[in-house]
């Protein structure tokens, strides 16, 4: 069975500091991995996805993630946090054609 | 058009009411989804329609009844709900023709905030 684990339900960073949100996966087959962001009372927006084409994936809003098979990780990073990055972030793995297995989410707080 | 729209934005209903949530997309996607999201939790999949046929039903209570009238529309009919059904209901779509599954990420609507009294 496939699963993802997000370490840290809450992460706080200062504005301008590095953002690192952790996601580890478990999969018996090559995984397809996604990061989504959710702002309060809104739907989910895709930040980036890993589909085996490249291990370093660049997404929207300056975010990127690196797929590391040896560490079974797909951590999300951004060099410099902005106040507008404050939101909930979900890592997900695709199970079959349609089903996402979501992590429990990480709430990012950006301090002025 | 890369948008999934949902109506209404907010809905308050009593336990004896019948209401419907609506979702629409014009991206030519052939799969549409309903999710339920409780506060501070990830979305939980409820139903998937693929090519207008019900493909996945995640053992959802029968008081939730999905309907896919055509490839652009998805409804969720609600009847005799319980207070614990109060949540954000999200619609999503995916699956452009000719693309393999991992390249067909899901696009989410803004959700309907449902409160059951």
């Amino acid at each position: 069975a496939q699963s993802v684990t997000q370490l840290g339900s809450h992460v706080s960073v200062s504005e301008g500091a590095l953002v690192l949100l952790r996601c580890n996966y478990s999969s018996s087959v090559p995984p397809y991995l996604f990061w989504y962001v959710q702002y309060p009372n809104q739907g989910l927006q895709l930040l980036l996805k890993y589909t085996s084409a490249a291990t370093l994936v660049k997404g929207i809003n300056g975010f990127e993630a690196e797929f590391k098979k040896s560490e079974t990780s797909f951590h999300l990073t951004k060099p410099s946090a902005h106040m507008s990055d404050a939101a909930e972030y979900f890592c997900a793995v695709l199970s079959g054609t349609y089903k996402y297995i979501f992590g429990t989410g990480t709430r990012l707080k950006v301090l002025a | 058009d890369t948008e999934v729209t949902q109506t209404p934005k907010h809905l308050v209903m009593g336990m004896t009411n019948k209401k419907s949530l609506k979702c629409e997309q014009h991206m030519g996607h052939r799969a549409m989804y309903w999710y339920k999201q409780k506060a501070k939790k990830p979305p939980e999949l409820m139903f998937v329609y693929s090519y207008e046929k019900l493909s996945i039903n995640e053992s959802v209570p029968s008081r939730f009844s999905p309907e896919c009238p055509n490839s652009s529309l998805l409804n969720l009919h609600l009847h005799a709900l319980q207070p614990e059904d109060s949540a954000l209901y999200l619609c999503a779509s995916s699956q452009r023709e000719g693309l393999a599954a991992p390249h067909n990420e899901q696009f989410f609507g803004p959700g309907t905030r449902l409160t059951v009294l």
Side-chain angles (χ1 to χ4, degrees):
Chain A
Q2 293 169 300
S3 65
V4 289
T5 302
Q6 290 185 243
L7 293 174
S9 59
H10 292 82
V11 170
S12 293
V13 299
S14 297
E15 191 174 19
L18 172 72
V19 175
L20 171 61
L21 304 182
R22 299 178 187 274
C23 174
N24 287 88
Y25 69 89
S26 173
S27 177
S28 57
V29 297
Y32 299 117
L33 296 159
F34 303 79
W35 274 101
Y36 280 86
V37 61
Q38 185 176 31
Y39 299 99
N41 295 311
Q42 293 188 28
L44 279 68
Q45 181 182 14
L46 181 71
L47 284 174
L48 49 81
K49 62 182 180 182
Y50 170 73
T51 58
S52 75
T55 55
L56 182 62
V57 182
K58 293 188 184 299
I60 63 170
N61 301 341
F63 285 94
E64 63 180 38
E66 186 172 8
F67 176 76
K68 292 187 177 180
K69 186 177 178 180
S70 61
E71 299 177 9
T72 62
S73 68
F74 189 57
H75 301 332
L76 183 70
T77 61
K78 182 174 180 178
S80 176
H82 192 271
M83 298 298 288
S84 60
D85 295 325
E88 187 85 23
Y89 291 79
F90 292 100
C91 180
V93 62
L94 182 65
S95 177
T97 301
Y98 303 115
K99 191 167 181 179
Y100 281 160
I101 308 297
F102 284 99
T104 50
T106 297
R107 182 165 297 274
L108 176 66
K109 187 174 182 179
V110 181
L111 307 171
Chain B
D1 186 358
T2 58
E3 206 178 32
V4 176
T5 58
Q6 291 187 244
T7 55
K9 194 172 174 64
H10 300 276
L11 179 62
V12 179
M13 60 186 290
M15 289 190 286
T16 58
N17 292 157
K18 284 185 181 181
K19 297 286 185 184
S20 296
L21 308 184
K22 296 185 185 302
C23 174
E24 191 167 3
Q25 59 87 14
H26 294 288
M27 294 179 278
H29 288 169
R30 303 315 303 266
M32 295 186 76
Y33 308 72
W34 280 115
Y35 287 87
K36 174 183 177 181
Q37 187 179 26
K38 300 285 273 185
K40 303 185 192 305
K41 298 288 187 184
E44 299 172 33
L45 183 64
M46 300 174 73
F47 303 103
V48 180
Y49 273 82
S50 175
Y51 290 84
E52 295 134 66
K53 287 186 169 46
L54 186 63
S55 179
I56 296 177
N57 178 340
E58 293 285 89
S59 303
V60 178
S62 60
R63 57 185 184 269
F64 295 91
S65 175
E67 179 197 18
C68 189
N70 60 56
S71 60
S72 300
L73 291 173
L74 185 66
N75 298 321
L76 186 62
H77 303 297
L78 314 172
H79 175 54
L81 294 193
Q82 304 296 310
E84 59 265 28
D85 297 322
S86 299
L88 182 68
Y89 287 83
L90 294 165
C91 175
S93 70
S94 74
Q95 197 170 18
R96 284 166 291 169
E97 295 275 6
L99 288 181
H103 301 283
N104 276 292
E105 62 268 19
Q106 294 179 24
F107 288 75
F108 285 80
T112 293
R113 174 73 59 189
L114 174 67
T115 302
V116 182
L117 300 176

